[in-house]
Amino acid sequence: MTTETAAPVRPAVLRDLVFAEPVGFRPLSLDLHLPATTGAPVVVFLHGGGWRVGSRRTMAPTMPGDAPFARITAAGLAVASIDYRLSGEACFPAQVDDAAVALDWLRAHAAGLGVDASRIVLWGESAGATLAALVALGPEDARTGVRGVVDWYGPADLVALAEEQHGLDDPGLREAGWLGHAVGADVERAHLASPVWRVGPGAPPFHIAHGTSDTAVPASQSVALAHALLAAGVDTELTLVPGAGHLWQGDVDRDALLDAAIAFACRVTA
């Protein structure tokens, strides 16, 4: 009589994996949502919240819980949803640095985690989309393995956004809180924090989606980014969603938007 030992069950989510302990700040963690198979590409998700608030546990307030992440893993992709320092803790570029450190950590631990960190998609929502784009448009060594970016309604040009809000000199804007000064006080630095001004040849493909009724971050921000990317010869998809507000508020087919972004992630990591 022989006894067969069942193979260990692969956990669906590995929670609270510390990837960085910046001196003087709280430890930064990620949650790793795993598909059934090993060796999957990795979606690195960056939450929104105006750089002020937000949690790695939620894709968007209108898409709460683990269900959106499970939809991505069902397509054969792993998801690392990461922390970053908020603007009350540190100013730009700390958040971009935190995302880059998370990528380094994933590359270093990929084999043990059973994922393929040579195939990464950065996926950000609102303020997180700005961070995802900045990493992808930053130094080549920081974006090693990044195959694409999903940008959901992210601020792309902080100066133009502040001008539209008549707030270039307003230190209370969320963008000013992130920069550590009113946007107009140092336009050159605001440009460094603006993806539109960081676009260049050789950037990875972008999938950009934005609601036409977004009053927090106007759709013109994504249109400007898409135009800059296309002018640089970058593979770019832009979807403008009629009637959709910020965070995909309103009568919106969120499942379709999620599926389109997943299809893009699968395409660029194939």
Side-chain angles (χ1 to χ4, degrees):
M1 180 178 180
T2 59
T3 302
E4 295 185 1
T5 302
V9 176
R10 184 171 165 88
V13 188
L14 299 174
R15 303 266 186 205
D16 306 316
L17 302 177
V18 175
F19 67 83
E21 297 183 77
V23 176
F25 299 93
R26 63 187 167 96
L28 301 175
S29 300
L30 62 82
D31 294 336
L32 184 63
H33 302 255
L34 294 165
T37 56
T38 59
V42 186
V43 168
V44 175
F45 182 77
L46 295 100
H47 67 79
W51 305 284
R52 294 173 172 172
V53 296
S55 169
R56 68 179 189 274
R57 296 291 169 87
T58 300
M59 175 165 277
T62 58
M63 304 171 73
D66 282 348
F69 298 127
R71 200 178 186 98
I72 299 172
T73 60
L77 304 165
V79 184
S81 186
I82 71 170
D83 284 336
Y84 53 83
R85 284 170 286 179
L86 302 175
S87 59
E89 300 171 294
C91 296
F92 168 82
Q95 297 73 19
V96 183
D97 295 340
D98 293 341
V101 170
L103 295 188
D104 286 340
W105 188 91
L106 286 164
R107 295 184 196 106
H109 295 83
L113 296 168
V115 298
D116 181 0
S118 71
R119 295 182 291 158
I120 292 172
V121 172
L122 295 166
W123 184 331
E125 179 258 339
S126 194
T130 305
L131 301 179
L134 288 173
V135 173
L137 298 171
E140 191 168 343
D141 59 342
R143 54 184 171 92
T144 301
V146 174
R147 301 288 189 88
V149 179
V150 174
D151 179 325
W152 276 0
Y153 45 83
D157 186 337
L158 276 76
V159 174
L161 184 57
E163 287 175 337
E164 187 161 343
Q165 297 169 321
H166 306 289
L168 271 178
D169 300 319
D170 183 356
L173 289 184
R174 58 181 180 266
E175 293 79 19
W178 182 38
L179 292 172
H181 54 75
V183 175
D186 190 338
V187 169
E188 184 176 351
R189 189 160 180 270
H191 284 167
L192 290 174
S194 300
V196 161
W197 291 87
R198 304 295 295 273
V199 171
F206 271 67
H207 171 90
I208 305 170
H210 209 129
T212 61
S213 296
D214 190 332
T215 57
V217 180
S220 57
Q221 290 278 303
S222 285
V223 171
L225 178 57
H227 286 171
L229 290 164
L230 289 167
V234 179
D235 176 358
T236 305
E237 301 175 356
L238 172 64
T239 300
L240 298 177
V241 185
H246 201 60
L247 314 176
W248 299 136
Q249 293 174 330
D251 185 13
V252 180
D253 188 344
R254 300 181 189 93
D255 286 342
L257 291 165
L258 188 56
D259 287 344
I262 291 171
F264 167 82
C266 290
R267 173 173 73 83
V268 298
T269 57

